[in-house]
Amino acid sequence: MAMADITIYGAGIFGLSIAWSCVQRGAKVQVIDPYGVGAGSSGGVVGALAPHTPENWNDKKQFQFESLIMAQSYWRSVEETGGKSTGYARSGRLQPINDDRAMALAKARQEGAKDLWQGLAQFDIIDAPGPWSPKSETELVIFDTLSGRMHPRMACEALVAALETKSCLVKADGEPQGIVVEATGWKGLRALADQMEQPVGNGVKGQAAVLEFATPLDAPQLFADALHIIPHANGTIAIGSTSEREFDDASSTDAQLDDVIVRARQAFPVLADAPVIERWAGVRPRAKSRAPMIGHHPLRKGAFIANGGFKIGFGMAPKIAEVMADLILEGADQIPEGFRPEASLR
């Protein structure tokens, strides 16, 4: 193999998508991960690409909005190149409106979306559309057309297939060559905290379940009682998830997931008899700033970092990959202040 221009440590969604953006621009890239592709939370089952609410707008919300808008073309290029589906669809999301307060908030956000979403997506109040809908006391729901879905495992596999066509392979080990990018997930955040002797981020465990339940391919995702219900193209429904800052076993499931499944069946009666076919747990990297941590590495001169995707990593990935490729290959820095490593070091 020819010498790499870039070595990326970490074969999760950030590492793989940055590799893809870089190889598209002609860079030679190698990805190294001793645990394999999608070994952490990027190998999960949920895949909710849900936008921030259209209010109190800031750089983080704008960045995520732009990423969700560019997602369709980004993931289409991955699928067309590698020949594998990411499970992506911008199919929207339904949320219940249960009382007058929720209705007032929904109307305010509807007005906010008209301006902030620039006519590229809608935030509407509609009648609950039949069985595939959250239970709503008012029989009205919010339907937004910005939300999307993708299957995390399928997306990682599709990226690997696309990268292979560009002679970029994922390896278990190897020597660093060229510019180094660390995209090493929650364990990387912990290691960085130890090296800097200060908190910079940590891992938050999530448990999720997969149910067997086929829906139309364009069925929207559902959200209620802090639960995401994601219909995937493979005839399954993903339900998630818990948020556990304290945990002993990163991969075990327990009564907390049982509770999630019970709540999901109550909030979404259509799922009452759907059998559970998989239980999953993993740890998501959460930077101290609560925003992704991307940019120049805080300790290693000439190196870069991309971490802290937490619950929005897949939705942020297209834009983060492009911005990181701009910075690494062209020296063009378009990273929002709140995303820089310094934001988690204050």
Side-chain angles (χ1 to χ4, degrees):
M1 178 179 176
M3 290 288 289
D5 300 321
I6 301 167
T7 297
I8 297 176
Y9 285 101
I13 187 58
F14 279 4
L16 294 172
S17 58
I18 292 169
W20 174 241
S21 288
C22 288
V23 299
Q24 283 189 300
R25 303 187 193 191
K28 297 182 179 67
V29 181
Q30 64 172 346
V31 180
I32 297 174
D33 194 321
Y35 304 103
V37 174
S41 58
S42 292
V45 297
V46 180
L49 310 183
H52 292 291
T53 53
E55 61 188 356
N56 301 321
W57 210 244
N58 55 31
D59 288 347
K60 179 180 178 182
K61 291 187 175 186
Q62 180 64 27
F63 192 101
Q64 189 213 33
F65 170 76
E66 293 173 5
S67 190
L68 291 174
I69 290 298
M70 68 184 287
Q72 186 167 14
S73 60
Y74 193 88
W75 297 118
R76 183 188 297 120
S77 73
V78 171
E79 293 176 339
E80 290 177 348
T81 303
K84 288 190 175 183
S85 172
T86 63
Y88 173 81
R90 191 174 137 188
S91 48
R93 176 175 62 169
L94 297 171
Q95 304 175 69
I97 302 174
N98 287 319
D99 52 36
D100 290 343
R101 181 178 178 278
M103 176 62 76
L105 191 58
K107 288 180 177 178
R109 289 172 174 173
Q110 184 178 36
E111 289 303 308
K114 290 178 182 177
D115 175 43
L116 297 169
W117 288 2
Q118 305 167 32
L120 300 173
Q122 284 73 51
F123 186 103
D124 295 323
I125 297 169
I126 65 172
D127 293 328
W132 185 252
S133 178
K135 186 166 56 177
S136 172
E137 296 298 328
T138 66
E139 298 185 352
L140 296 171
V141 296
I142 298 162
F143 177 58
D144 81 78
T145 62
L146 183 55
S147 295
R149 63 134 201 261
M150 68 192 318
H151 196 291
R153 294 172 189 169
M154 292 172 63
C156 288
E157 291 171 359
L159 278 164
V160 170
L163 288 168
E164 287 177 348
T165 70
K166 306 291 186 180
S167 300
C168 174
L169 304 179
V170 178
K171 304 186 295 183
D173 54 45
E175 293 298 319
Q177 299 172 4
I179 297 168
V180 171
V181 182
E182 291 188 8
T184 49
W186 72 282
K187 292 181 179 178
L189 288 178
R190 281 193 171 180
L192 181 61
D194 290 342
Q195 293 165 28
M196 302 196 72
E197 298 183 339
Q198 69 175 89
V200 299
N202 213 321
V204 179
K205 181 178 175 179
Q207 298 185 47
V210 179
L211 277 58
E212 186 176 14
F213 188 92
T215 61
L217 290 178
D218 60 348
Q221 60 181 278
L222 311 179
F223 182 79
D225 193 18
L227 297 175
H228 293 278
I229 310 298
I230 312 298
H232 287 300
N234 61 0
T236 64
I237 302 291
I239 298 175
S241 63
T242 65
S243 288
E244 306 164 43
R245 295 193 182 189
E246 301 294 332
F247 55 89
D248 296 319
D249 186 341
S251 60
S252 65
T253 62
D254 54 32
Q256 294 180 80
L257 181 55
D258 295 335
D259 178 64
V260 165
I261 295 169
V262 169
R263 286 164 47 209
R265 296 191 193 280
Q266 291 172 344
F268 311 99
V270 69
L271 301 176
D273 299 319
V276 177
I277 57 176
E278 182 181 354
R279 296 164 64 93
W280 177 88
V283 182
R284 298 159 294 195
R286 180 183 182 276
K288 183 181 175 184
S289 69
R290 302 185 67 179
M293 181 192 293
I294 59 176
H296 294 281
H297 197 285
L299 290 180
R300 287 176 267 291
K301 186 176 181 179
F304 298 87
I305 190 168
N307 210 327
F310 194 35
K311 297 180 180 181
I312 56 175
F314 278 84
M316 289 281 206
K319 179 78 171 176
I320 282 178
E322 292 293 284
V323 168
M324 286 297 291
D326 288 340
L327 180 62
I328 296 165
L329 298 176
E330 301 172 21
D333 189 342
Q334 303 179 62
I335 297 171
E337 289 298 321
F339 286 30
R340 300 176 187 275
E342 293 79 8
S344 290
L345 301 178
R346 299 178 184 131

